[in-house]
Amino acid sequence: MAQLTLQPSGKAVDVAAGTPLLAAILAAGESIPHKCDGKAQCGSCHIFVQEGRKTLPRIQKLENDKLDTLVGVSSKSRLACQTLMGEADVTIELLGFV
Ligand code: FES
């Protein structure tokens, strides 16, 4: 288990390694758009990883291809539905893009 901190609320939850961040965010009771239900097709679950970015599994082609189509993408960008929790604490920012 590692700690996932959600900004801007500041809520922190323990999450098992390998859990999709989208599932962890929803289980924590936070709201995040996820129009395609985790298929990397909509981009609405776009988040910024503020801390712990390098501890997360690398971006795969499906996620990378979708990120390439979004506006406001930065080196901190991930899709919550495609990003699995790692073994270390992470802080993410929920952007609320739709
Ligand atoms: S829920 Fe659609 S890309 Fe993540």
Side-chain angles (χ1 to χ4, degrees), residues 22 32-46 63 66 70 78-82:
L22 177 61
I32 179 171
H34 52 289
K35 291 181 174 179
C36 73
D37 254 344
K39 298 181 178 73
Q41 294 176 351
C42 69
S44 65
C45 66
H46 181 195
E63 180 181 6
K66 187 64 207 176
L70 303 180
R78 295 297 301 259
L79 294 179
C81 69
Q82 300 299 306

Side-chain angles (χ1 to χ4, degrees), residues 30-96:
E30 292 280 324
S31 177
I32 179 171
H34 52 289
K35 291 181 174 179
C36 73
D37 254 344
K39 298 181 178 73
Q41 294 176 351
C42 69
S44 65
C45 66
H46 181 195
I47 57 170
F48 284 157
V49 180
Q50 300 292 12
E51 294 176 30
R53 201 163 21 114
K54 291 182 177 168
T55 70
L56 296 172
R58 293 173 58 99
I59 295 177
Q60 301 298 307
K61 184 178 186 321
L62 186 65
E63 180 181 6
N64 195 52
D65 287 351
K66 187 64 207 176
L67 284 172
D68 279 347
T69 71
L70 303 180
V71 294
V73 172
S74 81
S75 61
K76 298 178 179 177
S77 292
R78 295 297 301 259
L79 294 179
C81 69
Q82 300 299 306
T83 306
L84 304 180
M85 187 70 177
E87 303 279 354
D89 295 349
V90 173
T91 298
I92 64 172
E93 180 181 355
L94 305 181
L95 302 174

